Amino acid sequence: EHLPGAFIIYRADKEEDELLYANHEFLHMTGYKNMDELFTRTKKSFRNLIREDEQQQIEASIWEQINSGDENDYIHFHLRKADGSYLSVLDHGRIVESQTYGRVFYVLFMDWADMHIHYKDKFSGYQKSLF
């Protein structure tokens, strides 16, 4: 029921990027009470989760990575939370074929600040052990 990590699934279509699913961790991280609130506030569109001034650049980068033959994409952007604030995230997406929905993206989100703190701490401990 609860898989680790914050993730969503959405239709991989440039014209209709319909949100299909978000797990509990994603809802918690972004402050949405439930799927209904997420769908209502975003109009079920992945695009509406991206800060408006970043939308074109982020979408172009995702599709450029996918169209280059890579099944995965990685992108840093600002994710819109339920309260209208933004969270800096690293998005790791993977495109797959679904018998029900066609091409869909599975997207894992990592909090950018938390990730840097974690890896800085890991790296500094590694660096200390070298000297």
Side-chain angles (χ1 to χ4, degrees), residues 32-120:
Y32 292 98
K33 294 179 193 116
N34 54 44
M35 294 284 291
D36 289 337
E37 181 184 19
L38 172 66
F39 288 167
T40 299
R41 289 182 182 246
T42 62
K43 299 178 184 156
K44 290 187 82 172
S45 174
F46 172 71
R47 170 181 290 193
N48 293 330
L49 284 170
I50 303 169
R51 193 169 72 189
E52 195 170 302
D53 64 331
E54 295 178 334
Q55 288 175 352
Q56 285 185 314
Q57 173 195 357
I58 299 308
E59 289 176 331
S61 179
I62 290 170
W63 283 105
E64 181 179 311
Q65 290 177 64
I66 296 299
N67 290 335
S68 71
D70 196 356
E71 293 178 331
N72 295 290
D73 71 87
Y74 297 88
I75 191 110
H76 168 245
F77 68 94
H78 295 91
L79 183 71
R80 183 188 317 268
K81 295 173 62 176
D83 65 5
S85 66
Y86 292 93
L87 177 65
S88 185
V89 296
L90 177 65
D91 158 330
H92 171 199
R94 180 171 180 84
I95 195 166
V96 298
E97 284 291 328
S98 162
Q99 289 183 0
T100 305
Y101 297 105
R103 291 187 341 157
V104 297
F105 281 116
Y106 284 79
V107 182
L108 176 67
F109 294 94
M110 293 163 273
D111 182 301
W112 188 258
D114 287 349
M115 186 177 67
H116 278 273
I117 290 166
H118 173 77
Y119 286 106
K120 180 181 175 190

